[in-house]
């Protein structure tokens, strides 16, 4: 394992940019498949790029009460997801410093700053979004760690790269259970349908959307880009570690995108306090997976 | 040496007669009292010079060895301290009003006080067990007069109970001494009747079952005088109704004297009965004493009764120390006696000052002493930490050794029970003192009365207890005295 | 000597029965007289000279004359309650005294199997416990003093019977103590009578807890 | 190098003692006394830090004699020098803070406060260097008394002295338990010095009794769950710099004591010992974080967060002990290293946050966070430090709070992989669940604290008049904020030192030095958390982001917040209680919140009734465990008082009964 500059720094950086570039495309695919499933034409796959460019040009409107956290939060959200992308193993170099707990920790930075920003605008809805985000995070975190534990038990080490190496070789009960559980985790972490409806603006139901209410212009674009990257990250992680099919990465990501779209069109948003029982069940699945290991 | 003893006993007696005669004015009496006390202290120090710890002084009626010197030291220290402090106490009492009714009361107080100390010194010096009993009975009677000094209704009640229970106890002790004498008669004939020296050397000749019966009576008799559990009922009443200085002396000196007499009898009896039965007897009564003290400390209104029950608890610890009967534990018990006497005297004096300041004994009505009377508050806080056995003060070290020897003896459960009982005591005492010290003052305190004359004495006593605890090895004379005394108790007398 | 101990036991039982103050003091005086007699007899029997006679004379002086005189003067002063209202009927105290006598006999047999004068030891222990019963059962201050004195007499008798007299110094000490004890008790009862207007100790209940 | 250590130590103790004498300076120059005492404590703490630093950096493992007091030897070894480091560092920070903060107490016994402050630091140092039972217990009790006096400083208020009373009673019970543990160990071995104390041979009942007593005592002093009730009451009552030092250092001294017992005295570890410590640690982490989110008083929040972090430290120790009993013995080092590192980091974070709480309290003089808001604009520097502190306490990467938790997660992972049967694996799963919940709740709690206190609009009149703190307080806050990032990023040296200390204490362990725990740098290390690379990536991204997003950005300030069209009032801004509402509903079976709704007066039958809604969340442990216990104690006590019933006859009856019983007992 030669620790050269390329292997250690350049390739992960390139991979990060690659992921950032393709993230809007994947979310476009999800929207497109969802539209087709509900047999309407839906917007073009690259619609998200246009949205980002539109927001990019607009001026940002801020309220007089905002402080430095309001400005800092979008950037920190983007930074944490980028760093998380930086940690993912890439095809070009087999480096070993991508630790799963650091990955979870970095995502937590993003969540921390988004929840903080919801306070800064001194509006009612911001606080509501922040408190719900923290509530969902509290329900998700233990289940996420259990999923990480199953992956560790399967691969024998906490490094994402080694986890990815020995995935997809055999299908048994534990692997299937872990796969289903992580898929549910993916949905809840990125604010997909069963937990939170991504494309609604109804004040009372939205969780993720609430926190962005006060943002506009370029800051809004940054936040959307960051959440798209986070979505992309989870899909890559899911397909790398938990999806037992032996196919190249890109196809696997598209399949997961299709799966998400299918899931979203099949059922609707759950009541807020049902999430606790829902994630408890996923935790139960994972416990079974651990015991069956 | 003989003349010194006669001088030491004679002086207080003479002063008592002078004081009772009413010949001198109050101011002269105060000064004279201090002079007499310091002279007696001087004589005692002179005696210490002449007799080194290992030596023994033996005469026709008097017997002085390391153990009696140690207890005599305690009594003399308290005697001098309370003499110097009583002037300001009596003057305040006079100002408070009740003393001003009859003029000669201060004279009577000094007379009884000096007689009280005289009888205690007598008990410690005598060789004959019978005469020791007479001395103890005399202390009871004189201290009864002192307890009923104020002749209020509750003082009368307390004195009546004090006399009845103690005299009943003392009668039992007399019976025990008689049976012991009978055992000595049947074993070794009539000469040297009941002389402690003779009995401690020939203890093993006595008939075991007879001495056991005798010791049972002696234990219950002197146990009442010390304040062991079922016979303790007089203790809280007497300590709470007596004038503060006297209750300080009662709990510091008198209880130590009765414990001294109990130890003297214990040394005689141990060779024949053996330690097994004695240890169980002492443990049962000691743990009963501490257990009974806990509820009364937790729910309590009167400040002096609180201190009385904490004395009971310390007595329980001393009896446990004696029960284990190893050289460490007996040494720790003797040290505990000294520390407890010092600290309890300081605490009773402060309690007296607090009662005079707030005109009430009821702790529920005393608040915010830290603002009202900061001087008294600091001493009360230090006294409380001392009596609860917190480290810088001496009680912690003696308590530490006693409990450790309890564990060394293998009784883990008893040790843990004792530690948690002491924690219960802390819960009670700490709560009441905190109520008094903190919070906003509802009742205006009379003034911060702890003035400049008596604070140095209290400070000296507290620092003395710290020195005794922390650096006993450093004090040359006391350390060897303590070791010699505990050797006497454990190893039997070796002349 | 044994017969005198039996008589003293009988008088102690009688003491339990009496309710009236004056009669009780008289009974105490009788007890002390018996003790003095026993003391004189044992003194003269084994030795002559002042040493043996002194205790007897002292008992007569102190216990037969001085103490009853003081108690009679005290009883004289209590105008209203010369007659004693018996709150606890006397049968309980007699039964209890009998039980204690039996108990002391059992104890002496258990503890000291083949002792010489077994019944003197047992009866004196019984006498002391009867004294205790007397104090516990009576609420009058004077009756409690009398109970105390019976205990003293019991112990003194034991000392006399077993050991043919203690050394004189101890003898003197004990007499002196008994005298001072009664003196203090009488002073207190006077004070009690002055401030509480009665000598019934049930009044002394304020110091609780 | 190490022969200077005794000189440094002696001068440090001398400085502290000199500081204690500030009490004797007359009242006129109390300001001079205060400054003198604080300077002395800063000097003393720096010297202590240097002594510990020299010892640690020199890689020494043997016992180093430092001083002699009477016949008791004072010495330091690896384990105690780590905690000396903590004491020194936290001592310096809080003393600098106290220079300005304590001026608020000018009228109220200021000299006593500063004098006791030095005595407090001195007693903690003595506890750490004591080498015999007597000196350990003496300095332990002195530490308890002095902290009690400091907590009880403004004793006029009722809840202060009651909190102080509860604190001393519980600490005393803890000391009693520790005393029992020492005595059991002491009676098993042939002496009372630490070198002789070892009962690995004596039979299991004695060892079990010693372990339970020691764990009970030290858990109570560290504030683990069932015994934590004194902590949330004592900290708000104490002045801020005192509670900063108490939770920063005093809780760690309990960890030190527990470590002494586990490593030296009790010999080989049983399975159920490790399981008990792990489970209690996890429960404290979970409940600490949960209650931290429900509290309204800022210092109570920080106190509960201390309970959570001490839970994490003890969970790490528990995992280490469990790993000792499994086949992978060498991985146990990770658990103990996690405990050491997290104690060190937590002391910095927590003292920073208590200083922030003190500064906010000083500015707004109200502890209730519902009355604050928008302080970031008025107190920018304090807000910055508070943000760093919150980041660290929420255990986010690139800050030092993350290192300890990350190592703990790894020890749980190794525990799961150790093939010791499904029981251990399920225990590891439980560990993951509870520690996951705890870290998420901690994140939520510090979002809530920072958001409600510093962001948005001021919720009460007083919050508007807040002003930035003076320079000493600010300096005292900036240093730990800077340290948080430094020890967060340059974590590797700290972890290697901690690992050496842990290995020194577990001698029978296969030395792990060929593939030691590498945090930063080359790839040979087993666990890899490359802060340096992450930092470079972050810098590069920041440059890109600055160039693209923020340069030339035009901000339009418009006085409109979307509030469904109405004008937003102050009260519509989210409050702390509102923020934790979903969590409260999710865990209501645990919290059992008590809600009272009172309809005040009815103007109009149909609409417009004004009502008062009060919500209280009682601490269940106090509710279910301590209040009934106290009630029964007082009830039995008042029942037993009937013994002293007052009549002479009953008393003499007692004597008679005692006499008869003793005679019968003698006869048998």
């Amino acid at each position: 394992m030669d620790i050269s500059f390329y292997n250690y720094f350049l390739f992960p950086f390139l991979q990060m940019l690659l992921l950032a570039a393709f993230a809007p495309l994947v979310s476009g695919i999800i929207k497109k498949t969802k539209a087709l499933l509900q047999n309407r034409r839906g917007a073009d796959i690259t619609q998200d790029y246009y949205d980002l460019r539109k927001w990019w040009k607009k001026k940002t409107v801020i309220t007089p009460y905002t402080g430095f956290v309001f400005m800092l939060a979008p950037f920190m959200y983007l930074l944490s997801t980028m760093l998380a992308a930086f940690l993912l193993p890439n095809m070009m170099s087999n480096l070993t410093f991508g630790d799963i707990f650091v990955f979870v920790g970095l995502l937590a930075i993003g969540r921390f700053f988004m929840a903080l920003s919801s306070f800064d605008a001194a509006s009612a809805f911001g606080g509501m979004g922040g408190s719900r985000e923290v509530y969902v995070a509290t329900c998700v975190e233990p289940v996420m760690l259990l999923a990480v534990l199953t992956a560790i038990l399967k691969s024998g080490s906490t490094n994402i790269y080694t986890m990815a190496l020995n995935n997809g070789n055999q299908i048994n009960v534990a692997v299937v259970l872990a796969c289903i559980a992580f898929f549910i985790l993916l949905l809840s972490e990125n604010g997909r349908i069963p937990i939170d409806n991504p494309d609604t603006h109804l004040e009372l139901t939205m969780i993720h959307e609430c926190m962005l209410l006060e943002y506009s212009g370029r800051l809004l674009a940054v936040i959307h880009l960051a959440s798209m990257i986070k979505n992309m990250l989870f899909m890559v992680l899911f397909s790398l570690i938990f999806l037992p099919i032996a196919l190249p990465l890109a196809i696997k990501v598209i399949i997961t995108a299709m799966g998400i779209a299918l899931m979203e069109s099949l059922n609707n948003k759950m009541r807020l306090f049902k999430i606790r029982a829902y994630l408890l069940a996923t935790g139960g699945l994972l416990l079974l997976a651990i015991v069956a290991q | 040496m003989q003349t010194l003893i006669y001088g030491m006993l004679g002086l207080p007696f003479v002063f008592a007669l002078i004081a009772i005669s009413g010949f001198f004015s109050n101011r002269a009496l105060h000064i004279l009292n201090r002079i007499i006390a310091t002279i007696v202290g001087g004589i005692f120090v002179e005696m210490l010079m002449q007799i080194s710890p290992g030596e023994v002084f033996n005469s026709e009626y008097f017997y002085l060895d390391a153990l009696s010197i140690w207890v005599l030291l305690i009594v003399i220290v308290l005697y001098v301290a309370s003499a110097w402090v009583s002037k300001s106490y009596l003057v305040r009492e006079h100002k408070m009003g009740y003393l001003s009714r009859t003029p000669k009361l201060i004279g009577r107080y000094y007379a009884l006080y000096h007689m009280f100390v005289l009888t205690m010194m007598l008990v410690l010096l005598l060789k004959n067990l019978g005469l020791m009993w007479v001395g103890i009975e005399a202390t009871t009677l004189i201290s009864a007069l002192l307890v009923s000094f104020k002749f209020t209704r509750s003082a009368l009640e307390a004195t009546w109970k004090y006399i009845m229970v103690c005299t009943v106890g003392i009668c039992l002790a007399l019976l025990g001494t008689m049976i012991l004498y009978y055992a000595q008669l049947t074993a070794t004939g009539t000469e040297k009747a009941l002389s402690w020296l003779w009995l401690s050397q020939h203890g093993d000749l006595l008939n075991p079952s007879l001495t056991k019966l005798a010791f049972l009576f002696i234990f219950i008799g002197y146990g009442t005088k010390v304040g062991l559990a079922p016979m303790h009922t007089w203790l809280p009443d007497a300590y709470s109704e007596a004038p503060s200085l006297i209750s300080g002396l009662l709990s510091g000196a008198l209880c130590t004297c009765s414990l001294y007499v109990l130890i003297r009898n214990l040394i005689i009896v141990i060779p024949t009965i053996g330690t097994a039965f004695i240890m169980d007897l002492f443990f049962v009564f000691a743990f009963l004493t501490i257990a009974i003290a806990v509820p009364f400390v937790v729910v309590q209104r009167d400040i002096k009764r609180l201190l009385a029950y904490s004395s009971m608890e310390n007595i329980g610890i001393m009896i446990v120390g004696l029960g284990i009967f190893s050289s460490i534990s007996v040494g720790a018990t003797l040290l505990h006696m000294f520390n407890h006497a010092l600290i309890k005297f300081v605490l009773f004096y402060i309690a007296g000052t607090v009662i005079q300041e707030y005109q009430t004994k009821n702790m529920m009505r005393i608040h915010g002493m830290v603002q009202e009377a900061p001087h008294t508050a600091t001493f009360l806080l230090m006294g409380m930490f001392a009596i609860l056995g917190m480290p810088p003060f001496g009680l912690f070290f003696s308590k530490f050794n006693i409990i450790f020897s309890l564990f060394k003896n293998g009784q883990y459960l008893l040790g843990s029970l004792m530690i948690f009982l002491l924690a219960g005591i802390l819960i009670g005492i700490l709560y009441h003192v905190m109520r008094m010290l903190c919070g906003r003052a509802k009742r205006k305190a009379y003034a911060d009365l702890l003035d400049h004359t008596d604070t140095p004495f209290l400070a000296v006593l507290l620092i003395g207890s710290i020195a005794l605890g922390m650096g006993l090895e450093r004090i040359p004379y006391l350390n060897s005295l303590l070791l010699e005394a505990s050797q006497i108790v454990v190893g039997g007398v070796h002349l | 000597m044994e017969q005198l101990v039996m008589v003293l036991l009988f008088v102690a039982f009688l003491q339990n029965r009496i309710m009236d103050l004056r009669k009780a003091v008289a009974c105490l005086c009788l007890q002390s007289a018996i003790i003095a007699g026993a003391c004189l007899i044992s003194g003269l029997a084994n030795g002559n000279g002042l040493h043996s006679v002194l205790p007897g004379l002292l008992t007569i002086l102190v216990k037969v004359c001085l103490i009853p005189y003081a108690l009679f003067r005290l009883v004289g002063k209590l105008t209203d309650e010369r007659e004693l209202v018996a709150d606890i009927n006397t049968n309980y105290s007699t039964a209890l005294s009998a039980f204690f006598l039996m108990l002391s006999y059992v104890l002496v047999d258990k503890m000291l199997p083949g002792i010489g004068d077994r019944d003197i030891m047992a009866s004196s222990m019984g006498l002391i416990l009867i004294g205790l019963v007397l104090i516990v059962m009576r609420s009058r201050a004077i009756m409690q003093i009398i109970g105390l004195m019976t205990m003293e007499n019991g112990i003194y008798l034991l000392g006399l019977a077993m050991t043919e007299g203690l050394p004189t110094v101890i003898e003197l000490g004990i007499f002196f103590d008994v005298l001072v004890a009664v003196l203090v008790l009488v002073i207190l009862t006077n004070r009690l009578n002055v401030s509480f207007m009665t000598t019934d100790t049930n009044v002394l209940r304020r110091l609780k807890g | 190098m190490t022969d200077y250590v005794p000189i440094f130590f002696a001068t440090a103790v001398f400085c502290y003692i000199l500081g204690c004498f500030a009490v004797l300076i007359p009242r006129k120059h109390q300001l001079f006394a205060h400054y003198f005492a604080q300077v002395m404590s800063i000097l003393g703490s720096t010297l202590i830090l240097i002594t510990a630093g020299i010892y640690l950096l020199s890689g020494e493992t043997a016992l180093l004699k430092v001083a002699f007091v009477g016949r008791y030897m004072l010495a330091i070894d690896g384990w105690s020098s780590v905690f000396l480091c903590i004491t020194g560092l936290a001592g310096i920070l809080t003393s600098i803070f106290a220079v300005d903060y304590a001026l608020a107490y000018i009228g109220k016994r200021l000299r006593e406060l500063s004098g006791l402050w030095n005595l407090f630091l001195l007693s903690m140092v003595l506890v750490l260097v004591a080498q015999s039972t007597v000196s350990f217990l003496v300095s332990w009790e002195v530490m308890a008394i002095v902290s009690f006096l400091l907590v009880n400083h403004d004793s006029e208020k009722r809840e202060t002295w009651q909190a102080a009373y509860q604190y001393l009673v519980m600490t005393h019970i803890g000391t009693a338990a520790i005393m029992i543990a020492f005595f059991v160990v002491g009676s098993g071995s042939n002496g009372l010095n630490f070198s002789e104390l070892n009962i690995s041979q004596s039979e299991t009942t004695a060892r079990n009794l010693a372990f339970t007593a020691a764990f009970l005592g030290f858990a109570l002093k560290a504030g683990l769950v069932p015994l934590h009730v004194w902590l949330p009451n004592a900290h708000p009552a104490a002045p801020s710099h005192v509670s900063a030092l108490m939770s920063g250092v005093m809780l760690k001294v309990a960890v030190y004591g527990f470590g002494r017992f586990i490593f030296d005295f009790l010999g080989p570890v049983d399975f159920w010992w490790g399981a008990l410590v792990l489970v209690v640690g996890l429960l404290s982490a979970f409940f600490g974080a949960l209650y931290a989110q429900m509290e309204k008083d800022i210092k109570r929040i920080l106190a509960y967060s201390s309970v959570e972090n001490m839970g994490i430290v003890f969970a790490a120790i528990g995992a280490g002990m469990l790993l000792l009993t499994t086949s992978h013995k060498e991985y146990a080092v990770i658990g103990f290293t996690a405990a050491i590192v997290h104690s060190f980091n937590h002391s910095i974070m927590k003292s920073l946050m208590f200083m922030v709480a003190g500064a906010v309290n000083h500015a707004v003089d109200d502890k209730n966070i519902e009355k604050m808001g928008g302080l970031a604009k008025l107190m920018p520097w304090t807000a910055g430090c508070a943000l760093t502190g919150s980041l660290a306490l929420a255990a986010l990467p690139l800050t030092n709070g993350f290192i300890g938790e990350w190592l703990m997660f790894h020890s749980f992972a190794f525990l799961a992989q150790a093939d010791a049967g499904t029981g251990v694996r399920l225990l590891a799963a439980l560990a993951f669940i509870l520690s996951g919940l705890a870290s998420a709740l901690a994140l939520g709690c510090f979002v809530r604290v920072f958001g409600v206190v510093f962001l948005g609009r001021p919720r009460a009149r007083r919050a508007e008049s807040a002003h930035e703190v003076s320079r000493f307080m600010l300096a005292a806050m900036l240093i730990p904020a800077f340290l948080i990032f430094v020890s967060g990023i340059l974590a590797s040296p700290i972890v290697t030192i901690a690992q050496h200390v842990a290995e020194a204490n577990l001698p029978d362990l296969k030395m792990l030095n060929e593939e030691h725990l590498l945090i930063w740098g080359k790839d040979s290390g087993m666990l890899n958390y490359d802060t340096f690379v992450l930092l470079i990536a972050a810098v590069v991204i920041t440059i890109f982001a600055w160039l693209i997003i923020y340069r030339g950005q035009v901000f339009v300030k418009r006085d409109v917040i979307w509030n469904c069209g109405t004008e937003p009032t102050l009260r519509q801004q989210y409050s702390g209680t509102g923020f934790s509402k979903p969590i409260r509903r999710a865990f209501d079976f645990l919290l059992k919140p008590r809600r009272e709704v009172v309809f005040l007066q009815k103007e109009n039958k149909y609409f417009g009734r004004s009502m008062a809604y009060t919500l209280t969340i009682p601490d269940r442990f106090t509710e279910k465990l301590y209040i009934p216990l106290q009630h029964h104690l007082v009830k039995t006590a008042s029942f037993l008082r009937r013994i002293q019933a007052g009549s002479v006859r009953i008393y003499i009856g007692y004597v008679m009964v005692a006499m008869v019983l003793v005679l019968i007992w003698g006869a048998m």
Side-chain angles (χ1 to χ4, degrees), chain D residues 117-374:
Chain D
W117 174 260
N118 280 283
L119 194 57
F120 190 29
L121 281 165
L122 178 64
S123 60
M124 275 193 281
V125 164
L126 287 181
V127 166
L128 295 172
V129 285
Q131 283 303 323
S132 93
T133 325
V134 176
S135 50
F136 181 86
L137 284 176
V138 165
S139 26
W140 184 272
E141 282 267 349
V142 166
M143 176 176 78
I145 296 174
V146 172
S147 52
F148 159 74
L149 289 173
L150 283 170
V151 166
N152 194 21
H153 187 67
D154 41 6
S155 59
E156 301 83 37
K157 291 199 279 293
R158 189 175 168 69
E159 65 277 358
T160 318
W161 71 262
Q162 277 181 341
Y165 167 69
Q166 181 186 26
Y167 166 66
L168 191 62
V169 165
M170 295 202 67
T171 335
H172 188 76
I173 293 169
T175 324
I178 295 166
M179 231 170 166
I180 294 175
F182 265 116
F183 284 153
V184 168
V185 171
S187 58
S189 48
N190 47 27
L192 272 179
N193 284 334
F194 279 9
S195 45
E196 298 143 349
L197 285 177
N198 187 339
I199 51 165
S200 34
Q201 286 74 23
S202 56
E203 81 292 351
T204 51
T205 48
R207 283 179 60 238
N208 285 342
L209 176 63
F211 170 74
T212 22
F215 182 59
L216 181 79
F218 289 116
L220 190 137
K221 188 73 181 178
L224 297 184
V225 158
L227 310 163
H228 68 292
V229 276
W230 61 273
L231 210 126
N233 298 334
H235 281 219
S240 303
H241 61 294
V242 170
S243 38
L245 195 65
M246 263 169 75
S247 73
V249 182
M250 204 172 74
L251 301 182
K252 312 301 181 290
V253 170
V255 175
Y256 161 76
F258 188 60
R260 268 283 172 247
F261 263 84
I262 296 298
F263 296 136
D264 302 343
F265 304 153
L266 291 182
V269 175
D270 284 4
F271 175 77
W272 71 272
W273 292 3
L276 175 70
V277 172
L278 178 67
V279 167
V280 168
L282 290 170
L283 282 177
S284 333
F286 171 64
F287 275 107
L290 186 61
Y291 277 111
Q293 215 165 10
M294 298 303 148
E295 284 300 328
K296 284 201 280 292
D297 173 344
I298 192 165
K299 281 203 197 155
R300 281 180 72 89
I301 296 172
L302 294 175
Y304 273 115
S305 141
S306 295
V307 170
E308 184 232 340
N309 283 293
M310 290 318 293
I312 288 168
V313 168
F314 269 83
I317 293 180
M321 284 160 74
L322 274 177
L323 279 168
L324 272 177
T325 55
T326 60
S327 57
H328 298 266
K329 262 180 134 45
E330 65 280 4
Y331 291 140
V333 170
I334 302 174
F336 296 113
T337 328
I340 297 172
V341 164
H342 197 68
S343 307
F344 179 72
N345 294 333
H346 178 249
S347 79
I348 302 173
M349 303 188 271
K350 195 38 67 65
S351 26
L352 167 62
M353 278 314 278
F354 265 106
M355 287 195 247
V356 160
V360 162
N361 188 3
H362 184 72
V364 176
D365 64 51
D366 182 353
K367 289 207 271 276
N368 185 354
I369 56 174
E370 307 294 20
K371 295 280 191 303
M372 301 178 195

Side-chain angles (χ1 to χ4, degrees), chain B residues 6-76:
Chain B
Y6 284 129
M8 201 162 71
L9 294 178
L11 261 172
F13 187 74
V14 163
F15 177 71
L17 292 181
I18 294 166
I20 201 76
S21 67
F23 177 63
F24 285 90
S25 73
N26 289 351
R27 251 171 38 74
L29 276 182
H30 289 314
I31 299 151
L32 205 61
N33 156 42
R34 284 191 182 162
I35 296 162
I36 296 288
T38 15
I39 294 170
V40 168
I43 293 172
F44 178 69
V45 167
E46 177 55 29
M47 252 164 54
L48 290 188
M49 291 308 153
Q50 287 185 359
I51 179 169
S52 76
E55 258 174 70
V56 166
F57 167 77
N58 184 0
S59 82
E60 212 274 337
Y61 282 108
F62 295 116
Y63 177 77
L64 211 59
D65 63 357
L67 181 61
S68 44
I69 289 177
W70 177 262
V71 183
L72 201 58
L73 182 66
I74 300 175
V75 171
I76 295 285

Side-chain angles (χ1 to χ4, degrees), chain A residues 16-17 19-24 27 77-78 80-85 88 107 190 222-236:
Chain A
M16 181 176 65
L17 292 180
L19 274 177
F22 279 108
S27 83
Y77 191 26
L78 183 70
S80 67
T81 33
M82 291 285 226
L83 283 179
L88 279 185
L107 292 182
N190 298 303
V222 163
I223 290 177
H224 267 291
L225 179 64
S227 53
M228 282 177 219
I229 296 170
K230 185 169 155 189
N231 193 0
M232 178 69 176
L233 281 183
F234 265 89
M235 284 205 265
V236 164

Side-chain angles (χ1 to χ4, degrees), chain B residues 161 212 216-217 230 233 236 281 285 299 371 381 390-391 400 403-404 407 412 419 427 430-431 434 438-439 474, chain D residues 70 137-138 141 145 148-149 152 155-156 161 165 176 180 183 187 637 641 644 646 648 651 654 659 662 665-666:
Chain B
K161 287 177 191 162
K212 187 171 182 183
L216 288 186
F217 278 104
T233 43
L281 188 71
F285 274 85
V299 180
Q371 275 74 36
L381 198 65
M390 297 286 186
F400 178 89
I403 298 174
F404 180 55
F407 271 87
Y412 290 162
I419 287 184
I427 290 174
L430 184 67
Y431 177 72
M434 288 286 285
C438 310
R474 292 285 167 65
Chain D
L137 284 176
V138 165
E141 282 267 349
I145 296 174
F148 159 74
L149 289 173
N152 194 21
S155 59
E156 301 83 37
W161 71 262
Y165 167 69
I180 294 175
F183 284 153
S187 58
R641 281 167 63 81
Q644 192 84 4
V648 183
Y651 293 167
Y654 290 152
M659 188 69 240
V662 162
W665 181 17

Side-chain angles (χ1 to χ4, degrees), chain D residues 52-76:
Chain D
I54 292 175
Y55 184 86
L56 281 174
L57 294 179
S58 68
E60 192 84 28
T61 52
L63 206 61
L64 184 67
K65 266 183 275 312
V66 165
F68 270 87
V69 172
R71 51 187 168 80
Y72 301 122
M73 178 186 73
L74 301 180
I76 58 174

Side-chain angles (χ1 to χ4, degrees), chain B residues 423-467:
Chain B
I425 297 275
L426 174 119
I427 290 174
I429 293 182
L430 184 67
Y431 177 72
H432 294 293
V433 172
M434 288 286 285
R435 262 183 78 91
M436 286 201 287
L437 284 180
C438 310
R440 242 174 304 286
K442 297 188 190 66
R443 269 172 79 100
K444 200 69 196 67
Y446 192 76
D448 189 356
L449 287 174
L450 209 58
D451 54 14
H452 46 79
T453 51
D454 37 29
T455 32
F457 264 86
L458 301 186
V460 159
L461 290 182
L462 281 179
I463 292 157
S465 129
I466 296 176

